[in-house]
Amino acid sequence: MIRYSLICDHGHEFEGWFSESADFDRQKESGFLSCPVCSSVAISKTLMAPSVATARKKEEGQKLVFDQVQREAFLKLKEAIAEVKANSEDVGERFPEEARKIHYGETQARGIIGNATPDEVHALIDEGIEVAPLPVLPDDVN
């Protein structure tokens, strides 16, 4: 896991954990990375002190270790995401179009998931259409 210090365009600082550096870029590009304070998707990395890995630190860092409460919360979050996916239609790249059709009553209301660019997400929100990203979580938690 890689930890980045992040900041939104409104100056809110927070941390993000990613399985690899490309995950940050993918999540930012897709609009799924947002500020936990103001929901802005204009996120950038900030400077942070490097973590020097000793042999012991390296071994310890190879496993993502949660305490029991964190593990239970993580598993509940994974279950919730699975439930959303199981009860939604994956419309892929047609997500913005389908979300608009549902919002304006042009098609049957139903749960949908899919892909949208940050600009498309902003446009949907500006139209009053509620959207929310589904986080991408690691498969295994110790």
Side-chain angles (χ1 to χ4, degrees):
M1 296 295 283
I2 298 172
R3 182 188 75 184
Y4 288 128
S5 291
L6 306 172
I7 190 167
C8 77
D9 59 339
H10 296 106
H12 301 120
E13 296 182 19
F14 57 100
E15 290 182 353
W17 289 82
F18 304 90
S19 61
E20 59 184 9
S21 61
D23 283 346
F24 170 81
D25 298 326
R26 280 192 294 270
Q27 289 184 31
K28 182 177 178 185
E29 185 177 310
S30 68
F32 291 141
L33 182 60
S34 63
C35 174
V37 177
C38 67
S39 300
S40 170
V41 294
I43 306 296
S44 59
K45 297 177 198 173
T46 63
L47 291 176
M48 57 187 290
S51 176
V52 178
T54 63
R56 178 187 283 181
K57 262 186 156 179
K58 195 170 187 176
E59 287 174 16
E60 291 172 0
Q62 291 187 357
K63 285 190 174 182
L64 179 60
V65 180
F66 288 132
D67 67 22
Q68 187 62 30
V69 172
Q70 291 169 321
R71 182 178 297 110
E72 289 175 11
F74 178 86
L75 293 174
K76 286 180 183 178
L77 182 57
K78 282 193 74 128
E79 288 174 14
I81 292 168
E83 182 79 16
V84 168
K85 288 181 176 182
N87 293 298
S88 300
E89 177 185 347
D90 189 344
V91 295
E93 302 298 324
R94 296 186 343 265
F95 181 82
E97 175 187 345
E98 290 296 318
R100 283 187 179 93
K101 286 180 181 178
I102 292 168
H103 181 76
Y104 293 112
E106 298 171 11
T107 190
Q108 176 187 4
R110 65 198 189 282
I112 60 171
I113 58 174
N115 302 318
T117 67
D119 288 339
E120 291 169 331
V121 170
H122 284 293
L124 291 170
I125 292 169
D126 288 345
E127 290 179 47
I129 300 170
E130 295 182 18
V131 297
L134 287 179
V136 178
L137 303 174
D139 291 330
D140 192 22
V141 176
N142 298 321

